[in-house]
Each structure stands twice: as C-alpha cells, then as structure tokens.
Amino acid sequence: MTRTIDLALIGGTGLYRFPDLQGVERHALDTPYGHPSDSIVIGTVGRHRIAFLARHGESHTIPPHRVNYRANLWALHHLGARRVIGINAVGGIRADMVPRILAVPDQIIDYTSERITSFCDVAGAQVRHIDFSEPYTASLRQGLIEAADSIGIAIVDGGCYGATQGPRLETRAEVSRMRRDGCDLVGMTGMPEAALARELDLEYACIALIANWAAGCGETKEISLAEIYANLAAATAQVPTLVVALLEGL
Ligand code: HPA
C-alpha cells in the first residue's frame, strides 16, 4: 500500500536537501516525459511524510530552461503527492521585496520561451484548457502565511512573479518593463511548473526566497553572485521551520 505524502517540496537554488528527514527512501524514476531532475527523497519529519526533489539536481547541474518540469511533477504525483510547494530564488522588484525575506506570490506573468508548457504536448493527448486565473492554490498559500505568522517569520503575502528564461539575469530595461507590467518579483523557474501542477490537479504554492534586488532596483549597480548566495543562505535557513509549521497546521 502506498503511504500518503503530506507535502512535496521542489527545492530551488540553495536548497538541495531537506534537513533531518528520518527513514529516508530514494526513488529514481523514469517517467513518460523522461527523467526528473534527481531522485525523489521521501522521509518523515515528526509525524509527517514529505517528498523532496532538487529542481536543478542535487549538484545544481540543470539550468532553469533545461529542467524537466513535466517529469518532476509527474513523478511526484505518481509517488502519491497531492500538494506541492515550489521553493524559488528570486530577485525583488517591488520596494518591500527586500533581499533575504520570503514571499508567497499570488500571480504570475510568464516571459519564458521554448519550454514544454503542457502535458497536452504529446501526439494524441487529450487537450485540456485549465483555469489559471489564480495560478496558486489559495488554501495552501494561506497555510504558508499563517504558518509564518505563527512562528514569527517575516513573509510578504502576495505579489506577481515574473518568470524569465534565464540562465542570465535580466537587463535593467527588462526589469523596468516587468515592473510596468505589474511584476513584483523575478525568477527563472516558476513557470511552467505552476501550470503543470494545475494540469495534474495538484495543490501548488510558491515560497519565493529573495536573493537580490532585480537589475536596476534598490541601490544595486551590479548583482554579485556572492551576495546572491549569502542572501539565499539566510532566506533558505528559514524554510525547514516554515515547512514544519505549515505541516502542523494542515
Ligand atoms: N532574476 C531572475 N532570477 C533570479 C534573480 C533575478 O534577479 N535572483 C535570483 N533568481
């Protein structure tokens, strides 16, 4: 009998494993869409069972545009996950999206190109037009906000995630355009992950970890990778506690 998975996590840049998982099993799967980014690690935290997958691979060898988003989500769904949190490093555009803090976006604008964006993209597959007016699951977003509040983690509730192609960072002009479009955050991996999750009827929300000011925002003249990694480490350190608080509230 398959045991329930309470929550699946897709870790982004800076988060390659979930600490202190007990009774770990590793699942190396092949899917109808190819291989996921890495093995899926399933284990328990307290009385909760979680699945973890490193989006870029555990050694960070897969760039955002080469992630096999379909295989990742299909594999998590196949193993029994029904609720997924994508953890994504982002640049802050809006003034309150300050490096090192966390945000739970509520909207998306997709600027990516040449990624496979749908499970329908297979000859003969039934075409399905999902409703994507609200790209994230409201109850899961709310769970994250309440969990953060309950343990005193500062988190921004809402914001529009602009998904870019990467792997390069954006120009100032690109970010100005994104700001005019209404984007508050910019990252490279939010799409098509969110849309594919909806196609599989998974509950899905995003924890955005603000790693830097986006190009031309804040006081930044040039974005340094060292700074990105230092900020990300500070933001990432809060994720396990937040996830445990979320699990307690589910
Ligand atoms: N742009 C896109 N993706 C990112 C950024 C950024 O500034 N920072 C971290 N991921």
Side-chain angles (χ1 to χ4, degrees):
M1 193 187 94
T2 338
R3 279 184 298 151
T4 328
I5 292 175
D6 298 304
L7 186 67
L9 301 169
I10 304 179
T13 302
L15 186 64
Y16 305 106
R17 52 192 57 83
F18 194 86
D20 303 326
L21 275 187
Q22 303 297 312
V24 164
E25 313 152 12
R26 290 184 74 91
H27 297 260
L29 288 171
D30 192 10
T31 80
Y33 307 96
H35 290 285
S37 299
D38 215 319
S39 306
I40 293 172
V41 173
I42 300 184
T44 55
V45 192
R47 58 195 168 84
H48 305 287
R49 196 152 174 268
I50 71 168
F52 182 89
L53 173 60
R55 187 187 287 114
H56 300 284
E58 287 178 15
S59 325
H60 202 138
T61 47
I62 309 170
H65 62 294
R66 294 253 176 242
V67 170
N68 191 339
Y69 296 93
R70 289 196 301 185
N72 287 353
L73 287 159
W74 191 94
L76 290 170
H77 183 268
H78 180 74
L79 290 169
R82 294 296 175 264
R83 222 182 248 141
V84 178
I85 305 266
I87 299 160
N88 306 74
V90 297
I93 300 177
R94 204 172 73 195
D96 59 342
M97 298 292 188
V98 181
R100 296 189 174 216
I101 66 162
L102 277 52
V104 182
D106 61 355
Q107 277 299 326
I108 300 175
I109 298 180
D110 188 4
Y111 300 91
T112 65
S113 54
E114 296 165 41
R115 298 185 184 188
I116 302 176
T117 57
S118 171
F119 288 102
C120 304
D121 202 350
V122 170
Q126 189 68 45
V127 176
R128 182 165 171 222
H129 300 284
I130 50 162
D131 174 18
F132 206 47
S133 324
E134 298 300 332
Y136 300 109
T137 305
S139 54
L140 199 51
R141 285 192 64 258
Q142 193 53 33
L144 281 170
I145 304 300
E146 284 169 13
D149 287 349
S150 75
I151 52 171
I153 289 183
I155 203 158
V156 180
D157 177 359
C160 179
Y161 180 114
T164 55
Q165 179 69 355
R168 67 166 176 83
L169 296 166
E170 299 70 37
T171 64
R172 281 190 291 108
E174 285 167 336
V175 172
S176 297
R177 180 179 74 150
M178 294 178 79
R179 189 199 286 278
R180 289 194 298 278
D181 285 352
C183 295
D184 303 305
L185 299 161
V186 51
M188 301 172 192
T189 49
M191 284 292 279
E193 194 171 279
L196 293 167
R198 180 65 53 85
E199 284 194 351
L200 291 177
D201 294 318
L202 291 163
E203 290 186 25
Y204 181 86
C206 162
I207 302 176
L209 308 176
I210 302 164
N212 55 282
W213 286 112
C217 301
E219 317 235 298
T220 316
K221 297 270 180 304
E222 195 180 318
I223 304 169
S224 101
L225 269 190
E227 200 181 310
I228 290 192
Y229 282 111
N231 289 335
L232 260 186
T236 304
Q238 310 195 72
V239 171
T241 351
L242 177 59
V243 167
V244 170
L246 170 71
L247 286 164
E248 292 300 317
L250 285 175

